[in-house]
Amino acid sequence: MSVKTRVLVVDDSALVRNLLKEIINHQHDMECIGTANDALAAREMIRDLNPDVITLDVEMPHMDGIDFLGRLMRLRPMPVLMISTLTEHGADVTLKALELGAVDFVAKPRLGIENGLLELAQQIVEKIRIAAHAQVKRLPSLTLESVKRLRALNGASSERPLQTTQPLRLPSPLLSDKLICIGASTGGTEAVREVLAYMPADAPPIVIVQHMPAGFTASFAARLNELSTVSVTEAMHGEPLLPGHAYIAPGGKHFAVVRRVGRYMASIFDGDTVNRHKPSVDVLFRSVASSAGPNAIGIMLTGMGSDGASAMREMKAAGSYNYAQDQATCVVFGMPREAIAHGAVDSVLPLSQIGPAVLARLRKSIAPSMLLDEPPY
């Protein structure tokens, strides 16, 4: 007999607590072992019941979910699934929760909460299953607050990008041809941030699919933009993809790269889900294989499932060089594992080594005479 995943539900709404309890207890492989209406009650139940996974509301009395999560991850790290409201403020707070170590989140509707949560039941239980097997740890990367403190200590403006890497100084024709593409899912918000932290202001265009619903990707791009030297925005249909910029696929839309009049451009469109996702890494990577071929560098980061694996193999066949995050540093070693199994990956590296490896590869592609003024890498 298999052991069930034991879930503690923490939410200030009695209706939400009862709905989540019902959804969880209808599954053969999990059970709700308790519910708490605030962080204080949750703290006692965690100590007494030792749950495998916690679902945590953001807004609660006495202590909000973010403060509670921060304390929990410092004292007793465990898998946490955030239950967030689909608002701009909710998106910002959710991204803070992911930064603190939450595995994932579910965006609950503001209106029609009962029917809305029941419609999300399958998504909720799938994310609980993923959380139960996730590697819970805080990523060794700078937080927004620590970056601002460092800037203040150095006398730098908090509005000015923090240059952390030497510029590439790629010649213009070569720079316009290179393209970096990234796919990520569960655990990916912090992994993407760490890769971008290494990218200098003259990096080739970077295109990114992070599995995330509509309403959250604009906040995600804005938060990355505050922490990156490159300019990070949500991708817009028809815009040219420029050096020194990173583009996030809008939630609920597909993102493809097309080449027109000798330059890369963004194509944003609706359509069916691909590999169960929209945006889909498969869609982006397949377009990159066609439009960039050997000028592309592919990066597969932490995430559940197989989205992007077959398309990354197409990229490799077209001549790209591809990286995958290793199992030890993934929150969920699903998408990288599938890409490796498809024979799509040239190099498997810890997260902290992917950014430097990409830069080293780009520098090697530059003629030595163009690097006379570069410091040795």
Side-chain angles (χ1 to χ4, degrees), residues 10-329:
V10 185
D11 199 293
D12 67 338
S13 165
L15 174 60
V16 172
R17 292 197 303 273
N18 289 332
L19 286 171
L20 289 174
K21 181 178 180 179
E22 180 181 346
I23 289 168
I24 291 165
N25 285 338
H26 268 80
Q27 309 305 308
H28 72 280
D29 57 344
M30 62 184 68
E31 63 177 329
C32 178
I33 58 170
T35 64
N37 64 349
D38 62 24
L40 300 179
R43 184 175 59 189
E44 300 301 316
M45 297 183 79
I46 290 169
R47 184 186 62 193
D48 296 338
L49 301 176
N50 192 27
D52 301 311
V53 177
I54 299 171
T55 70
L56 180 62
D57 189 16
V58 171
E59 297 179 0
M60 297 185 298
H62 308 305
M63 182 190 299
D64 67 37
I66 295 300
D67 286 341
F68 178 65
L69 177 66
R71 297 184 187 193
L72 182 67
M73 288 302 170
R74 285 194 301 271
L75 300 174
R76 189 174 177 176
M78 60 176 54
V80 175
L81 176 66
M82 301 302 296
I83 306 294
S84 308
T85 305
L86 189 57
T87 63
E88 182 177 352
H89 173 70
D92 292 337
V93 173
T94 298
L95 290 169
K96 177 62 178 176
L98 296 174
E99 180 182 302
L100 289 171
V103 174
D104 208 340
F105 69 96
V106 173
K108 64 182 178 183
R110 284 181 291 173
L111 302 175
I113 188 70
E114 183 170 3
N115 290 333
L117 273 182
L118 292 175
E119 289 175 3
L120 292 170
Q122 189 59 37
Q123 181 184 147
I124 291 168
V125 297
E126 285 183 0
K127 291 192 174 188
I128 289 174
R129 290 187 183 103
I130 293 169
H133 296 95
Q135 297 191 78
V136 178
K137 53 192 173 184
R138 295 183 66 180
L139 295 172
S141 56
L142 293 175
T143 64
L144 175 58
E145 290 74 17
S146 61
V147 168
K148 287 183 175 179
R149 283 198 298 271
L150 284 172
R151 287 174 172 157
L153 287 172
N154 292 327
S157 167
S158 63
E159 302 302 320
R160 190 166 66 245
L162 183 66
Q163 179 69 57
T164 57
T165 55
Q166 293 291 333
L168 288 165
R169 298 191 178 96
L170 288 169
S172 295
L174 181 59
L175 182 58
S176 63
D177 281 344
K178 293 295 182 182
L179 186 68
I180 299 170
C181 56
I182 301 174
S185 188
T186 310
T189 56
E190 294 308 291
V192 168
R193 185 173 63 140
E194 179 141 341
V195 173
L196 289 187
Y198 289 97
M199 297 296 111
D202 64 342
I206 304 167
V207 290
I208 302 164
V209 164
Q210 163 70 50
H211 293 159
M212 191 173 279
F216 284 80
T217 44
S219 293
F220 179 45
R223 193 165 185 84
L224 289 175
N225 189 55
E226 291 186 82
L227 291 166
S228 305
T229 300
V230 296
S231 175
V232 187
T233 58
E234 194 178 52
M236 297 176 60
H237 181 68
E239 70 176 324
L241 304 178
L242 303 174
H245 289 69
Y247 303 87
I248 306 292
K253 300 286 186 180
H254 286 305
F255 180 16
V257 175
V258 296
R259 193 170 178 86
R260 293 176 183 157
V261 198
R263 62 180 179 178
Y264 301 121
M265 302 187 74
S267 175
I268 307 298
F269 58 96
D270 207 342
D272 295 334
T273 60
V274 175
N275 231 328
R276 302 177 62 201
H277 293 284
K278 186 170 62 172
S280 166
V281 181
D282 263 327
V283 170
L284 178 64
F285 281 13
R286 191 161 287 120
S287 72
V288 169
S290 175
S291 61
N295 288 314
I297 293 177
I299 303 172
M300 189 72 84
L301 299 176
T302 174
M304 186 67 181
S306 61
D307 189 25
S310 61
M312 193 176 224
R313 182 67 184 87
E314 292 181 25
M315 285 179 58
K316 183 174 171 62
S320 73
Y321 192 92
N322 299 331
Y323 297 88
Q325 185 177 350
D326 72 353
Q327 183 172 3
T329 60

